[in-house]
Amino acid sequence: MCGIHDLTEHDLQPLTHHPAYLDKIKGMRFFDPHVHMTSRTTDDYQAMADAGIVAIIEPAFWLGQPRTGVDSFRDYYSSLVGWERFRSSQFGIKHYCTIGLNSKEANNEKLAEAVMEILPQFIYKEGVVGIGEIGFDDQTALEEKYYRAQLELAKEAGLPVQIHTPHRDKKQGTRRSMDIAIEHGLDPQMVIVDHNNEETVKEVLDRGFWAAFTIYPFTKMGNERMVEVVKQYGSRNIMVNSAADWGISDPLAVPKTAALMHESGIDSNDIHLVTYANAVRAFAQSGQINESDFGIASDQSEKFNGSTVLRGGQQPRINKNTTIIR
């Protein structure tokens, strides 16, 4: 029987395990422009880095339970530009975020007014690459009021906008989102319309907006469908994300989709555009993105305000591809 004190340095070196799809995308770099890492574990960061994800954008969103006070938003936004960025860096993934009032909580008018007052304290911070995710959920009057207010905020700050399109009546909600953005004088190239599907993509592209697709199991989009979209519409102005959050979702959706595209015979340059370069170009309009910052590994013994990703005296993991936990 082997006790903890019997382990040698050799024992502590993890065993290597490569999922088969990783071989298809070996050497590729990915940028997931929509993933809610606050809801995910450090193991997810590890797996994402192993799969080639070098940078991400974390949009401010609904946490699954309505917040009751503005200080909850203040702490959440502070975490997005603080602890979460640090946590990501410990796995060599450059973390950016977009800041905004989500559509669901826009329906609490008193709270929404208070949140609007604090947004300017955060949108000008380093690493904030847009206003998002904002837009419509149930397409109510209050959602429209705060969507419009945040479009004005984006214009004033010169930041891209990341639009959440509704799950119900998506086609109408997507069209309405674009109409209002145009009405407020936004250049479509400063607007990323997210959660597209086969029903919305043509109009979004025809009108000159960025079309983002979320690969989210059983709901928004599967990656086999995504392959067909790229075959039909090409790679121009299209980007893929995971929107992985506290639901049944997959933070590896972007590299897995790249692998499936490769299997399906899509040109490698097109894969690069939809899983990396287009998102970089769209959000770099914020002036906040520098590709030389991507994929830089950090010392996991570093601390952020006295806190570290290593718990209870854990040692930094050097070889990250392992199925063995000790």
Side-chain angles (χ1 to χ4, degrees):
M1 182 176 176
C2 182
I4 184 68
H5 298 299
D6 301 320
L7 295 174
T8 66
E9 188 64 29
H10 176 74
D11 295 323
L12 292 171
Q13 292 304 310
L15 300 179
T16 300
H17 170 67
H18 285 290
Y21 77 90
L22 287 181
D23 291 334
K24 297 182 174 63
I25 55 173
K26 192 173 182 180
M28 294 181 70
R29 287 154 58 96
F30 303 107
F31 184 1
D32 188 340
H34 187 148
V35 56
H36 301 289
M37 295 308 296
T38 297
S39 305
R40 310 299 304 196
T41 67
T42 50
D43 286 346
D44 289 327
Y45 273 124
Q46 188 79 45
M48 292 163 73
D50 291 346
I53 295 176
V54 294
I56 58 174
I57 294 173
E58 179 159 6
F61 85 138
W62 184 59
L63 294 179
Q65 174 175 312
R67 282 165 278 210
T68 57
V70 68
D71 283 342
S72 296
F73 279 90
R74 196 191 313 275
D75 290 343
Y76 173 58
Y77 296 148
S78 296
S79 173
L80 292 183
V81 298
W83 168 251
E84 204 55 51
R85 184 172 299 167
F86 167 78
R87 200 164 71 106
S88 182
S89 73
Q90 299 304 285
F91 298 88
I93 297 174
K94 182 64 179 176
H95 181 285
Y96 302 97
C97 65
T98 58
I99 296 284
L101 170 65
N102 67 85
S103 51
K104 285 183 83 74
E105 289 172 299
N107 289 299
N108 180 339
E109 189 168 18
K110 182 179 177 183
L111 182 57
E113 285 295 326
V115 172
M116 290 301 301
E117 286 186 18
I118 68 168
L119 285 181
Q121 298 171 24
F122 293 94
I123 65 171
Y124 295 100
K125 288 188 180 293
E126 182 183 350
V128 177
V129 297
I131 302 294
E133 55 181 303
I134 63 172
F136 288 111
D137 184 48
D138 284 330
Q139 303 188 53
T140 67
L142 283 175
E143 289 171 13
E144 180 171 333
K145 174 183 176 181
Y146 293 107
Y147 173 51
R148 288 180 180 275
Q150 291 181 94
L151 291 178
E152 287 299 315
L153 199 57
K155 263 189 3 181
E156 185 179 325
L159 287 172
V161 177
Q162 191 172 29
I163 291 179
H164 167 93
T165 52
H167 303 293
R168 296 170 293 280
D169 197 7
K170 179 175 281 292
K171 189 171 184 178
Q172 173 59 26
T174 301
R175 180 175 294 149
R176 187 176 171 195
S177 300
M178 292 188 290
D179 288 346
I180 293 173
I182 295 293
E183 187 183 324
H184 279 261
L186 272 86
D187 180 346
Q189 279 295 288
M190 289 292 280
V191 180
I192 297 91
V193 180
D194 214 338
H195 312 320
N196 278 281
N197 61 22
E198 296 88 342
E199 191 181 39
T200 60
V201 57
K202 185 176 187 308
E203 182 174 354
V204 171
L205 292 175
D206 285 349
R207 297 179 72 173
F209 290 83
W210 294 95
F213 289 82
T214 297
I215 309 303
Y216 199 103
F218 313 119
T219 57
K220 296 181 177 71
M221 193 81 181
N223 59 4
E224 291 172 307
R225 290 164 55 197
M226 190 67 230
V227 167
E228 296 306 313
V229 167
V230 172
K231 283 182 177 177
Q232 182 173 352
Y233 293 97
S235 56
R236 187 172 181 274
N237 277 7
I238 286 178
M239 64 185 78
V240 176
N241 64 62
S242 70
D245 56 13
W246 35 258
I248 299 171
S249 47
D250 189 344
L252 301 179
V254 174
K256 286 180 178 177
T257 301
L260 192 61
M261 288 179 178
H262 177 77
E263 262 184 29
S264 304
I266 292 178
D267 182 81
S268 58
N269 185 55
D270 289 322
I271 299 173
H272 175 69
L273 287 170
V274 301
T275 61
Y276 180 91
N278 285 346
V280 171
R281 190 155 70 90
F283 287 98
Q285 296 178 97
S286 65
Q288 294 279 334
I289 292 181
N290 186 341
E291 289 180 76
S292 64
D293 295 333
F294 291 4
I296 298 175
S298 296
D299 179 354
Q300 287 187 328
S301 64
E302 288 179 350
K303 293 185 177 180
F304 176 82
N305 288 341
S307 295
T308 169
V309 296
L310 305 176
R311 311 296 292 164
Q314 290 172 320
Q315 295 299 308
R317 295 175 67 185
I318 299 169
N319 184 344
K320 298 172 284 187
N321 298 314
T322 178
T323 56
I324 303 300
I325 303 169
R326 294 193 171 95

